[in-house]
Amino acid sequence: MSMTRHELRQAQAAAVDAAQQAGDLMRRHWRSPKVIGQSTRHDIKLELDVRSQRLIGRTLARALPDVPVLGEEGDQAGGDHLRRWVVDPIDGTVNYAHGIPHACVSIALQAREPTGPTAAFRTRLGVVYDPFGGELWTAQAGGVARLNGKPIAVSTRPLAESMVSLGFGNSAGVIEYLVPAIGNLANRVRKIRLMGSAALALCYVATGRFDAFLEPGLRLWDIAAGGFIVEQAGGTFWRRQLQGYERHAVNAHNGRLGRALNPFLRPLIANDRSQAGTGRSAG
Ligand code: IPD
Ligand code: CA
């Protein structure tokens, strides 16, 4: 269902408002001890994740009451909706729980396009807010990606000069096969980074800070807004949903590095599929 420019502008204003309110909440509690709601081997969920998603949900519902939220902290978007918000109330929760100011709020709006049996959700706008750096990324269909209102673009660096960001994800066992792949990759690029927020890594690719970002097992709310922002900044956002699994392998890059990076991602995808089969995800 296509959206008019006016609808997109209205929706973006609501998403920015919600992201900034949730970001203020994160900043206010940055240095306080955090209440942990749930924890697994490689992940933490905070009570503040839930509070933040509720705050975002209320703000979005005031602007577009009929659009449900699919979020890390709850999903009201089941059923036959034509639009949905995809929300990660805090991306980089483990950083944030440790008091490290590298975390953000991520909000995307998706619409089912085209209608009919082949209908699939496509992202129409993305907003990512880093409350610590005061950085707000936005993009909407038909427009360009922006950082604090100014147009941004991906880098033009080749592989040998590139900085490539990676994520381990939350699945048990990923580390065993990712570490040798990192060794290979590290010899071909200038620098590797693992910073702990997929949404910010994608926005850094869109801004030309990173040249690529690879991670084998991400959820939709980690990547919907940031991936769209990469595309609107002229980059490539490749993702594949792992069979029978709610996780996606992601390769986002400046448009020049796909061929060079694919060999590094292939074993990761293959291995993550076998992880999917074992149901060993902790995420
Ligand atoms: C996580 C972060 C992290 C990535 C994990 C995600 P969360 O999201 O994006 O960088 O490696 O796969 O689950 O739990 O902080 O919202
Ligand atoms: Ca996340």
Side-chain angles (χ1 to χ4, degrees), residues 50-130:
V50 179
R51 267 176 72 187
S52 174
Q53 182 159 326
R54 284 200 193 120
L55 177 66
I56 293 167
R58 282 197 299 274
T59 307
L60 296 177
R62 272 197 297 276
L64 284 99
D66 300 329
V67 181
V69 172
L70 165 62
E72 176 151 20
E73 306 308 325
D75 174 10
Q76 294 98 43
D80 215 9
H81 298 282
L82 292 175
R83 291 176 193 168
R84 66 184 182 193
W85 294 106
V86 181
V87 172
D88 195 341
I90 304 178
D91 184 63
T93 301
V94 181
N95 281 347
Y96 182 61
H98 285 239
I100 297 168
H102 189 79
C104 65
V105 183
S106 171
I107 302 176
L109 180 64
Q110 296 190 323
R112 225 186 261 272
E113 286 178 2
T115 49
T118 56
F121 277 108
R122 288 180 57 201
T123 304
R124 307 323 284 152
L125 76 84
V127 168
V128 173
Y129 181 50
D130 170 358

Side-chain angles (χ1 to χ4, degrees), residues 103-186:
C104 65
V105 183
S106 171
I107 302 176
L109 180 64
Q110 296 190 323
R112 225 186 261 272
E113 286 178 2
T115 49
T118 56
F121 277 108
R122 288 180 57 201
T123 304
R124 307 323 284 152
L125 76 84
V127 168
V128 173
Y129 181 50
D130 170 358
F132 307 106
E135 297 197 306
L136 176 74
W137 284 268
T138 53
Q140 51 177 265
V144 297
R146 293 173 189 275
L147 167 55
N148 291 343
K150 297 209 174 88
I152 51 170
V154 292
S155 73
T156 55
R157 281 184 286 266
L159 191 71
E161 292 165 22
S162 66
M163 183 180 272
V164 175
S165 173
L166 301 174
F168 278 131
N170 304 322
S171 304
V174 169
I175 290 162
E176 287 140 43
Y177 67 85
L178 199 53
V179 168
I182 294 176
N184 277 336
L185 193 57

Side-chain angles (χ1 to χ4, degrees), residues 43-45 49 72-73 88-95 166-170 195-199 213 215 217-219 221-222 247 283:
D43 202 18
I44 289 176
K45 282 197 191 300
D49 283 294
E72 176 151 20
E73 306 308 325
D88 195 341
I90 304 178
D91 184 63
T93 301
V94 181
N95 281 347
L166 301 174
F168 278 131
N170 304 322
M195 291 178 66
S197 164
F213 167 62
E215 185 161 341
L218 288 158
R219 305 297 297 261
W221 43 78
D222 301 316
R247 288 184 181 272

